[in-house]
Amino acid sequence: MTAPEAVAAAADAPPLTWLYVPGDRPETVAKALGCGADVVIVDLEDAVAPDRKAYARAATAELLADPVTASPDAVPVHVRVHGEDDIRALTGLPGLSGLRLPKITHAVSVHHVAAVAPGVPLYPLLESALAVEHAYSIASAHHDVRGIALGEADLRADLGVREDFGLDFARSRLVVAARAAALPPPAQSVFPDVRDLDGLWTSCVRGRGLGLLGRAAIHPRQLEVIERAFRPTAREVEEAAEIIAASEVDAGALALPDGRFVDAAVVASARRTLAIAGRA
């Protein structure tokens, strides 16, 4: 990939790292915005105690009203809201790049939020068995839905699952639902042990194998591992470049010299691979 091609690809690259930070700690949020995450998620839900939620909402509104946060080259800021009061307080602020909606179980909840916050990108979080069963209807509920993800801590409790592989079906279900709704591949849910970077790596590799793309983090030290785990290998980049080159010669379905079959879906996947590789 040439330097201009890499720059163009990087501009279209999907995010790989999403860093959660408590909304009632403005100084921590400020640090998070400079730590290298692709997206910072200000959490007004589980990370904030009930008696601190009003303060967290006000602090987040102040952040999102700041012209620096709203500048084109600023890190996108999403907010995981706690309820409709948060949604109404934050909608329309220039620094808001998306709302993450916890505990969504039905498409009707998405429609309600879309009516309250028109035009704001929405990211429903599916955290129960019922939500997973409704994954496609939630993913396709409204044109403002830009992505879906699991809330694995609550889902694990709902299902009574102890081992990590017990969530693989739900993860795959979300990957299929997102693709069917023409959404980006879901990002993997957080890895709770911020000290176990080897475990994080192993878990990311497993998630990538299931079709997930990128991951949410709860500490900056996790970001580099996530980035490395989901970035294409040199061989994957080489194969993607071969596919793109072949598609530019023949726009229809074709077979490469090594026998691989290439069609439009394979070409689209190759372009995404090059876009992620171009982030460097």
Side-chain angles (χ1 to χ4, degrees):
M1 195 184 321
T2 66
E5 288 171 337
V7 171
D12 296 329
L16 294 184
T17 53
W18 314 67
L19 179 61
Y20 276 98
V21 60
D24 62 341
R25 300 179 188 172
E27 68 288 348
T28 305
V29 175
K31 291 178 181 178
L33 291 171
C35 73
D38 295 326
V39 179
V40 168
I41 304 172
V42 179
D43 192 359
L44 302 182
E45 197 212 11
D46 289 345
V48 179
D51 62 348
R52 298 272 292 174
K53 290 192 182 296
Y55 169 72
R57 182 191 309 131
T60 302
E62 183 177 353
L63 169 75
L64 297 177
D66 189 330
V68 174
T69 307
S71 65
D73 57 348
V75 177
V77 177
H78 292 193
V79 180
R80 180 163 73 168
V81 295
H82 177 63
E84 189 168 322
D85 288 345
D86 292 342
I87 297 169
R88 292 188 181 278
L90 303 177
T91 295
L93 295 177
L96 180 65
S97 295
L99 292 173
R100 299 183 74 83
L101 313 176
K103 299 177 176 60
I104 295 296
T105 56
H106 295 84
V108 66
S109 299
V110 178
H111 282 286
H112 176 74
V113 175
V116 175
V120 178
L122 305 178
Y123 296 82
L125 301 176
L126 286 64
E127 306 184 54
S128 66
L130 181 60
V132 173
E133 286 298 296
H134 293 162
Y136 174 70
S137 65
I138 293 170
S140 60
H142 195 275
H143 58 77
D144 284 339
V145 174
R146 305 296 172 79
I148 56 174
L150 289 179
E152 290 190 357
D154 283 4
L155 180 59
R156 191 186 298 271
D158 189 38
L159 297 177
V161 168
R162 297 183 62 87
E163 300 297 333
D164 189 66
F165 64 79
L167 295 178
D168 282 357
F169 169 78
R171 294 164 177 156
S172 295
R173 181 74 176 266
L174 235 65
V175 170
V176 173
R179 177 58 187 156
L183 297 177
Q188 197 166 0
S189 187
V190 299
F191 188 81
D193 189 342
V194 300
R195 298 164 298 179
D196 185 8
L197 298 184
D198 289 337
L200 172 62
W201 169 265
T202 300
S203 179
C204 287
V205 170
R206 184 182 188 92
R208 187 181 179 197
L210 293 171
L212 300 167
L213 181 62
R215 187 163 201 166
I218 53 175
H219 194 283
R221 69 166 60 102
Q222 297 178 313
L223 299 177
E224 188 276 333
V225 175
I226 295 170
E227 177 89 18
R228 184 161 44 90
F230 285 95
R231 184 183 292 280
T233 65
R235 180 56 186 157
E236 289 170 337
V237 171
E238 181 181 346
E239 291 176 348
E242 291 172 355
I243 290 170
I244 297 301
S247 71
E248 291 172 349
V249 174
D250 188 341
L254 68 150
L256 299 181
D258 63 3
R260 283 178 294 155
F261 181 76
V262 176
D263 61 7
V266 175
V267 172
S269 178
R271 293 192 187 281
R272 187 178 73 196
T273 295
L274 294 184
I276 297 171
R279 289 159 52 89

